[in-house]
Amino acid sequence: MFEISKEKTDELKSFINTHNFFFIVGHKEPDGDCITSCLGIAAILDYFGKPYQLLSAGPFKRNEVIRWQEQFSDTMEFQDEAERKNSGLFICDCSELVRLGEIDGDLKGFDTFVIDHHKTSGLEEGFQGYVNGDAPACAFLIQLFYEALIGPVPAELAKTLFFGICTDTGFFRFLTDKSSEVFAAVSRLVADGADPRSTYREINSGKPYSTRKLLGVLLGKAERYLDGRLVVTYESLEDTKKWGLDGRDSDSLYQLLLSAKGVEAVAFLRQDTPASCTGGFRSQDKIDVSVVAAKFGGGGHKNASGMSCNGRVETLIPQIVKEFARIM
């Protein structure tokens, strides 16, 4: 199911060998899977002796990724026209240039290789790469590429990729009875040096006190729809100013609301500016929230997706509830 063909590994190796320099970038507002996937590509390039620059538009608000912030830049190293022709672009954990955010420099026009696992993703015209919507994390795909191209994963990289897989699988909560290959791969990372206990502490400890207060505010605003099967909550500009400047703990919010009896899906909206919002959707087994996310310019996985669009919370909530009513 997840075996990467020799054709794909050869394609990646050829992409590396035919370029002198690389930019590595993931989506804006990076999470653990995005950042560790970029670091995994960097490790592959290190093995092949290729120089690169790690890019991210940020912001690094998630507690899980702050420690890696200094390794990334939002400003591209300058290249003249000849240098650009000999450079390649790696995009990790998304497949669309528009999702990369505001990078100071022009990311268009490079030979591009994408590695992604989002259900709604596909390769843009002219891009090379590998997209597998059944994979639980992009870091998992990076692990498979590393093992196929190079061999066993070094201890520090094993810890990094294990971290990324854990963040995107909710420490394996989202895996199913069809995930034996994933557990087999993860066991190799543990054998290579990853430590499940310390990784769990790294993911779940050290959160700012303000995120606990914000969590309470969001729980207080939660409302049930569709006979209690859908719960919707939101964060206002005032909430962000008071409690959200140091980040938020959306994963705990989704866990708490989905654990309530009868709840099958959760929608969380955040008013980013007076005229724009971002949102996250989570669901139980059968409900495909990526369908709803796609209606609002977003996408992702069947049970975990996100969106970003123009609008205000009070007008978007009825629209989102209407779309959920179509699939629930």
Side-chain angles (χ1 to χ4, degrees):
M1 181 179 178
F2 295 118
E3 183 178 356
I4 297 177
S5 67
K6 185 176 185 301
E7 179 184 4
K8 275 298 172 186
T9 57
D10 287 346
E11 183 181 331
L12 175 57
K13 187 174 182 179
S14 175
F15 183 81
I16 293 171
N17 286 334
T18 54
H19 297 87
N20 298 329
F21 185 89
F22 297 88
F23 294 104
I24 309 171
V25 63
H27 58 75
K28 61 184 178 181
E29 297 188 16
D31 55 14
D33 186 35
C34 175
I35 291 299
T36 59
S37 296
C38 290
L39 294 172
I41 289 294
I44 292 174
L45 293 178
D46 282 334
Y47 177 85
F48 285 96
K50 297 286 187 173
Y52 55 84
Q53 184 188 19
L54 290 161
L55 297 171
S56 177
F60 283 73
K61 285 190 174 182
R62 296 173 184 261
N63 185 65
E64 65 197 59
V65 299
I66 290 174
R67 59 176 161 150
W68 287 301
Q69 181 172 2
E70 293 185 358
Q71 297 184 49
F72 290 77
S73 173
D74 62 2
T75 302
M76 295 174 63
E77 294 181 9
F78 174 77
Q79 291 189 328
D80 60 30
E81 186 175 348
E83 290 171 325
R84 285 179 65 90
K85 288 182 178 179
N86 289 308
S87 293
L89 174 66
F90 276 105
I91 300 178
C92 298
D93 202 32
C94 72
S95 61
E96 302 156 318
L97 288 174
V98 68
R99 291 202 62 216
L100 303 181
E102 296 297 325
I103 301 290
D104 187 2
D106 184 8
L107 288 170
K108 297 178 181 178
F110 287 106
D111 287 339
T112 301
F113 198 100
V114 171
I115 301 179
D116 191 17
H117 73 121
H118 289 96
K119 182 175 180 291
T120 52
S121 294
L123 292 176
E124 292 189 9
E125 185 177 355
F127 285 7
Q128 296 174 259
Y130 182 73
V131 178
N132 188 333
D134 293 322
C138 188
F140 167 69
L141 298 178
I142 302 296
Q143 175 192 352
L144 298 186
F145 270 115
Y146 190 100
E147 291 172 334
L149 285 171
I150 301 169
V153 179
E156 285 305 311
L157 180 59
K159 295 175 184 177
T160 299
L161 295 177
F162 183 81
F163 186 96
I165 294 170
C166 287
T167 57
D168 241 34
T169 62
F171 219 91
F172 312 118
R173 295 195 318 274
F174 307 140
L175 298 186
T176 70
D177 57 351
K178 297 179 176 61
S179 302
S180 61
E181 293 174 74
V182 181
F183 281 108
V186 165
S187 73
R188 295 195 297 273
L189 293 179
V190 174
D192 290 334
D195 181 355
R197 181 181 298 181
S198 64
T199 301
Y200 185 86
R201 286 198 302 266
E202 289 170 357
I203 294 173
N204 293 285
S205 301
K207 300 182 186 295
Y209 176 74
S210 60
T211 65
R212 310 296 90 187
K213 298 290 288 186
L214 180 59
L215 185 60
V217 171
L218 300 179
L219 289 172
K221 291 184 175 184
E223 297 289 346
R224 294 186 293 179
Y225 298 85
L226 307 180
D227 298 322
R229 293 179 295 152
L230 171 67
V231 175
V232 180
T233 189
Y234 66 92
E235 179 180 328
S236 68
L237 290 170
E238 293 75 19
D239 297 332
T240 302
K241 183 177 179 180
K242 188 172 183 179
W243 301 116
L245 295 179
D246 292 326
R248 55 195 46 80
D249 189 6
S250 301
D251 188 53
S252 292
L253 176 69
Y254 296 129
Q255 284 187 61
L256 287 167
L257 294 176
L258 283 173
S259 67
K261 184 178 180 179
V263 175
E264 299 174 9
V266 173
F268 163 54
L269 290 180
R270 183 174 74 243
Q271 192 76 52
D272 288 324
T273 73
S276 65
C277 290
T278 55
F281 307 137
R282 299 293 186 273
S283 68
Q284 306 285 15
D285 300 332
K286 296 181 180 180
I287 299 171
D288 188 350
V289 294
S290 70
V291 175
V292 178
K295 294 287 186 178
F296 297 91
H301 309 291
K302 177 182 178 182
N303 301 122
S305 291
M307 48 77 76
S308 179
C309 69
N310 293 328
R312 294 190 59 81
V313 164
E314 57 266 28
T315 56
L316 284 171
I317 287 178
Q319 298 174 39
I320 288 171
V321 172
K322 183 179 180 179
E323 294 302 328
F324 269 100
R326 298 179 190 275
I327 63 171
M328 294 180 68

